[in-house]
Amino acid sequence: MSFKVRKAVLPAAGLGTRFLPATKAMPKEMLTLVDKPLIQYVVEEAVDSGIESLVIVTGRDKSAIENHFDISYELEQTLQERGKTEIFEQVRGVADIAKISYTRQKQPLGLGHAIYQAKDFVESEPFAVLLPDDIIDSSTPALKQMIEVFEKYQSPVIATMQVEGEAISRFGVIDAEEIAPNVFKIRDMVEKPSVADAPSDLAIVGRYIFTPDIFRAIETTTPGAGGEIQITDAMRNLLKERDFYAVRVDGVRHDAGDKFGFLKATVEFALKRADLGEEFRDYLRTLKL
Ligand code: UTP
């Protein structure tokens, strides 16, 4: 039987400690690149890739996310009364973007544990996972590039990108064989290896397509430091039983959950904006760096 990927899970229950104090009372996923929250970029990527329904895994102090994707009667009415049609349509468009539901992760016990909270939503279908602080800027949505590969092999697919030098040790890294241009069959994966121990320069980035058997693999994964269940550990368990593929995604990735990554993304996104880019470029040129 051949399955389509129709559902997506967006884990957004982490504490965002790398971005404190901004994330003390505000979800990291609501940080904005120019004028759009990170999570909206990722919801749009999912929808543009053909996803029909999404679940966002939230935690305490994350209600801003639900409000963002909801109708805002008072705001919409005021905008209409004032004749601000264009911005009204933009605001309403966010509420109509997709079918979104929410589930809570009561404690931030790791990405594997966050994904597990979506078990009832997923039921028995393959599903995508998109990390909202990984922004991938590409002409074909990153997830769409992966779905094409999933549809061919009907096996889990993870996104990978080449990372040079020392930086590789901040990622999960795959040991894999390239079986078609930019498509790899995975032999093994390691979480945050030293440069010397890294099996390749192919880092795992925040997009995955899983089959429902990942939930069983998460159940049998022993929690690591701080009681957290790492998704890489669960994937390694499952790798013993089934094939896993990786796609070298074509695009630019920004780690927007990190202060430096966020600043770079902000500058790049602002420079590309038709309404702001030119003025912003001129302004940057005046800075005495
Ligand atoms: P990160 O490690 O980037 O997020 O997890 P974090 O833990 O919030 O951030 P730092 O490292 O403390 O700054 C990637 C994604 O997984 C979610 C996060 O919200 C983020 O979108 N996540 C992580 C959960 O939903 N639950 C968790 O227990 C951990």
Side-chain angles (χ1 to χ4, degrees), residues 11-19 28-29 57 62 105 107-111 114 131-133 257:
L15 295 177
T17 53
R18 286 173 298 154
F19 228 116
K28 149 174 92 169
E29 298 76 14
V57 183
K62 300 276 185 174
Q105 184 191 23
Q107 280 180 289
L109 292 178
L111 182 54
L131 304 191
D133 50 356

